[in-house]
Amino acid sequence: MVVGGLSLCGLIRLLCSLLIPALFLSGVLCVCLVVLLWGVRLWIQQRKKQLTSAGKDGKQPLLVAFFHPYCNAGGGGERVLWCAIRTLQKKYRNVTCVVYTGDRGATGEEIVEGAFRRFNIKLTHPVKFVFLEKRYLVEASLYPHFTLLGQSLGSVFLGWEALRKCVPDIYIDSMGYAFTLPLFKYLGGCRVGCYVHYPTISTDMLSVVRNQDTRFNNAAFVTNSPLFSKFKLAYYYFFAFMYGLVGSCSDVIMVNSSWTLNHILSLWRAGACTSIVYPPCDVQTFLDIPLEEENSTREYSIVSISQFRPEKDHPLQIRAFAKLLKEKRLGQQPPLKLILIGGCRNQQDEERVNNLKRLCEELGVSNDVTFRINIPFEELKRHLAEATIGLHTMWNEHFGIGVVECMAAGTVILAHSSGGPKLDIVVPYEGHITGFLAENEDNYAETMAYILSLSPEKRLEIRENARRSVHRFSDQHFEETFLLSVEPLFK
C-alpha cells in the first residue's frame, strides 16, 4: 500500500526514526533535570550548614520558618501567625522562629511592636526576620489576567529567594502560597506544613464560572461570552489540578473552618494529615467588655471589621446601610452611624477606600459613614463596646475572625449566609439564636431594621447567647489544637 508516494512500511520506519531519538532526548533531559535538582538540593543543604550557628548551649536550634510576605498587614491571618509563633515559643525551648516577609518598610522590632499594638500579642522570645525583595511577584496587580497562575508562579520565585536566604528545618506556609511547599520539601529538605485560610481555588469558584455568574473575580465580559467562560473553566480545572498536586505534598495541613476543610479535602485529597484548627480570636479581651443596658435615646452604631479588600464587599455594606437609613428616616428613630474599621495593606487598598468614600457621596450618606483605618487595638475595642450591630458581608468567608470578635464584644452580628459564618460561627448555641445571616442588599437592610426594632431585652439575650458560644474560638483552644496538629513536624 502506497500513501502519497510513501509505502506504509516506509512511513513506519520514518516515524520510528523520529520517535526513538525523541524518546532518547527526552530521557536525557529528564536525567539532566534530576541531576540538576539533586545538585541544587545538595548546594542548599551545604548552605544551610554554613548559615546555621550553634545556640548558647552548643546545640543548633531548630529553625521553624513561616512564609508570610505580608506579616505586618494587621488582618486575621496575621493574628494566626503571631499566635502560632507565641505558642511554639512557649512549648519548645530549642526553637528559633523565622518569618519570611516582604515588609521592608519596617524593622523587625516595629513589626513585633505592631503585633502587640494591634492584637495584644506579646512574644516571649525574639523572632528572626528574613526580608524579601521580590514580594511584588505575588501582587495581584502584576497579573491583570491569569491572576491565580501568575501569583502562584510568582510565589515560587519568592519562595526560592526565601530558601536561598535561610534554610529552615520546618517550613510552614501561613498565608496560602501552596506552590512553595514542594520547593521547601524537595529542594530544601524541610518538613513542611501549612495553615490554609482560604483555598486559592475552590469548587465554588468553579461553579461561579460554570454558571456564568458575575462576581468580583469573574468579569462581566467573561460571563457574557460562552467561549470565554469555557476557556476560563478549562483554565480553572487545570489550576485546580496543579493546586491539588502541590498541596498534597504537605506533611501537615491545618484549615480554619469546616468550609475550608470541605474544599481542601476535595482538592488535595490528603485527609489523613488534615485537621481543623480554628483561628485564635482574642475573645477574652472582648468578653471583658461589660454588657451595659441600652439607652433607647442614644446613637446606634453599626460596625464592620475587615481589611479593605474587594472580596469583603464593603460596597454592599454601604448600599444596604443607605437603604436602611432611607427607610428609617420615614419614622421616628435614634441616629444611625456606620463605622468601617479595617487595615490597608497597600496603595490599591487605599484607592479602594477612596472609591468607597465616593460611593457614600453618591448615596448621600457621607455624614453617616465613618472610616477608621489601621487603628490601635484599644480604639477597636471602644467602637465594638459602643456598637449595636456587627456587620460582615463577604461571600464564602473562609472563617471570619471579625465575626467572632463582634459576637464576643456584645454586638448583634449580621453576617453573610455562607462559608465559615454560616457553618461554624453564627449557629445556634444550646438551642438559642446567636446572630443573623443575610445574602443581598435587601436582606441586609431588612435584617438590620429588624434587629433595631427588637426590644433592648431581646437584643441583650441574643448578645449573651453569642458570647457564650465563642469560647471555642479562644487563644487557648487554638494553642491546644495547633500544637496537636504540628506535633508530627517535630518528631
Side-chain angles (χ1 to χ4, degrees):
M1 181 178 177
V2 178
V3 181
L6 184 66
S7 67
L8 180 60
C9 293
L11 181 61
I12 293 174
R13 284 196 296 270
L14 175 62
L15 291 175
C16 289
S17 65
L18 296 174
L19 182 61
I20 293 176
L23 290 175
F24 177 77
L25 181 61
S26 299
V28 171
L29 291 175
C30 287
V31 171
C32 290
L33 180 61
V34 170
V35 171
L36 176 63
L37 293 176
W38 185 254
V40 171
R41 180 185 170 102
L42 292 177
W43 175 76
I44 289 175
Q45 295 304 311
Q46 186 63 32
R47 184 173 177 80
K48 178 181 179 179
K49 293 178 181 178
Q50 295 173 351
L51 295 176
T52 303
S53 58
K56 295 180 180 179
D57 57 358
K59 297 181 180 178
Q60 289 188 348
L62 193 69
L63 288 182
V64 181
F66 292 83
F67 191 74
H68 210 105
Y70 296 90
C71 73
N72 204 31
E78 286 67 60
R79 191 171 207 286
V80 172
L81 168 69
W82 300 118
C83 279
I85 291 175
R86 182 180 63 182
T87 300
L88 293 180
Q89 289 181 344
K90 288 181 183 178
K91 172 72 174 179
Y92 300 100
R93 291 186 176 181
N94 194 37
V95 159
T96 296
C97 290
V98 179
V99 177
Y100 297 117
T101 179
D103 293 302
R104 294 187 296 154
T107 64
E109 291 78 10
E110 290 172 340
I111 293 174
V112 172
E113 175 60 29
F116 176 70
R117 181 173 57 87
R118 292 169 181 165
F119 307 120
N120 200 31
I121 296 174
K122 192 168 185 64
L123 303 179
T124 56
H125 300 290
V127 173
K128 177 182 177 182
F129 289 91
V130 176
F131 291 94
L132 306 176
E133 299 177 4
K134 295 181 174 59
R135 190 178 68 178
Y136 65 89
L137 292 175
V138 296
E139 291 278 358
S141 59
L142 190 63
Y143 312 99
H145 305 292
F146 301 100
T147 309
L148 295 181
L149 184 60
Q151 285 184 291
S152 297
L153 293 176
S155 72
V156 175
F157 287 99
L158 188 63
W160 173 246
E161 180 190 351
L163 186 58
R164 283 191 297 106
K165 290 184 174 180
C166 177
V167 186
D169 300 291
I170 297 173
Y171 170 80
I172 299 176
D173 165 40
S174 54
M175 205 172 171
Y177 294 106
F179 281 74
T180 63
L181 294 170
L183 183 71
F184 278 82
K185 182 170 185 175
Y186 299 117
L187 290 185
C190 312
R191 285 158 278 171
V192 300
C194 60
Y195 189 96
V196 183
H197 298 275
Y198 195 88
T200 304
I201 191 169
S202 66
T203 53
D204 287 332
M205 292 170 65
L206 292 170
S207 66
V208 164
V209 178
R210 189 185 304 111
N211 299 330
Q212 294 182 247
D213 294 334
T214 302
R215 291 193 180 265
F216 77 92
N217 57 353
N218 197 37
F221 81 89
V222 175
T223 61
N224 294 332
S225 169
L227 179 62
F228 283 158
S229 292
K230 289 179 181 178
F231 179 78
K232 186 170 184 178
L233 187 61
Y235 158 58
Y236 268 19
Y237 272 115
F238 168 75
F239 185 84
F241 172 74
M242 296 300 297
Y243 183 60
L245 283 182
V246 297
S248 62
C249 77
S250 185
D251 301 309
V252 167
I253 303 168
M254 295 167 282
V255 298
N256 65 345
S257 69
S258 300
W259 181 86
T260 306
L261 174 69
N262 294 334
H263 287 284
I264 289 299
L265 289 179
S266 173
L267 293 167
W268 291 11
R269 303 184 185 279
C273 58
T274 306
S275 60
I276 296 178
V277 178
Y278 288 129
C281 307
D282 193 10
V283 294
Q284 190 55 54
T285 298
F286 292 103
L287 289 172
D288 290 339
I289 299 173
L291 286 182
E292 299 178 354
E293 296 253 343
E294 294 184 21
N295 184 345
S296 59
T297 61
R298 72 185 178 99
E299 178 184 78
Y300 285 149
S301 65
I302 301 169
V303 172
S304 163
I305 307 174
S306 58
Q307 288 183 319
F308 290 100
R309 306 203 309 255
E311 63 269 25
K312 297 298 182 179
D313 206 353
H314 289 89
L316 173 58
Q317 298 179 6
I318 296 171
R319 289 194 300 269
F321 177 72
K323 181 167 288 190
L324 169 69
L325 209 58
K326 182 178 179 181
E327 295 172 354
K328 293 291 287 182
R329 279 175 178 159
L330 298 176
Q332 186 178 6
Q333 52 93 37
L336 284 175
K337 176 74 77 174
L338 174 62
I339 304 173
L340 303 180
I341 302 174
C344 280
R345 304 164 298 173
N346 48 40
Q347 186 177 351
Q348 286 80 12
D349 287 353
E350 293 172 2
E351 180 60 31
R352 199 166 289 117
V353 171
N354 292 331
N355 291 335
L356 293 173
K357 290 179 178 178
R358 284 191 285 269
L359 177 61
C360 291
E361 294 176 0
E362 293 171 9
L363 297 175
V365 295
S366 295
N367 295 331
D368 305 295
V369 180
T370 301
F371 291 83
R372 303 298 297 143
I373 301 169
N374 297 330
I375 63 175
F377 184 74
E378 289 303 318
E379 185 179 346
L380 169 65
K381 282 179 59 178
R382 179 174 60 80
H383 283 298
L384 286 176
E386 298 171 353
T388 302
I389 297 175
L391 194 60
H392 195 274
T393 49
M394 179 176 170
W395 172 72
N396 272 341
E397 169 72 271
H398 42 292
F399 179 72
I401 288 181
V403 176
V404 174
E405 291 175 343
C406 286
M407 293 169 69
T411 71
V412 180
I413 191 66
L414 174 56
H416 199 281
S417 184
S418 62
K422 180 180 181 179
L423 296 176
D424 294 307
I425 305 174
V426 191
V427 296
Y429 180 72
E430 297 181 350
H432 300 292
I433 186 172
T434 59
F436 298 88
L437 299 169
E439 292 185 357
N440 54 47
E441 181 180 322
D442 290 333
N443 290 156
Y444 273 97
E446 292 167 2
T447 309
M448 283 190 285
Y450 173 74
I451 294 171
L452 294 173
S453 72
L454 295 173
S455 66
E457 293 77 18
K458 182 60 179 177
R459 281 198 293 267
L460 180 61
E461 180 184 332
I462 296 172
R463 294 157 68 197
E464 290 174 339
N465 293 336
R467 278 193 152 192
R468 285 194 293 268
S469 73
V470 298
H471 287 285
R472 65 192 188 279
F473 306 124
S474 65
D475 285 3
Q476 181 180 356
H477 188 266
F478 169 82
E479 290 179 2
E480 294 170 357
T481 53
F482 177 78
L483 287 174
L484 190 62
S485 298
V486 301
E487 187 177 356
L489 299 176
F490 291 84
K491 290 182 177 178

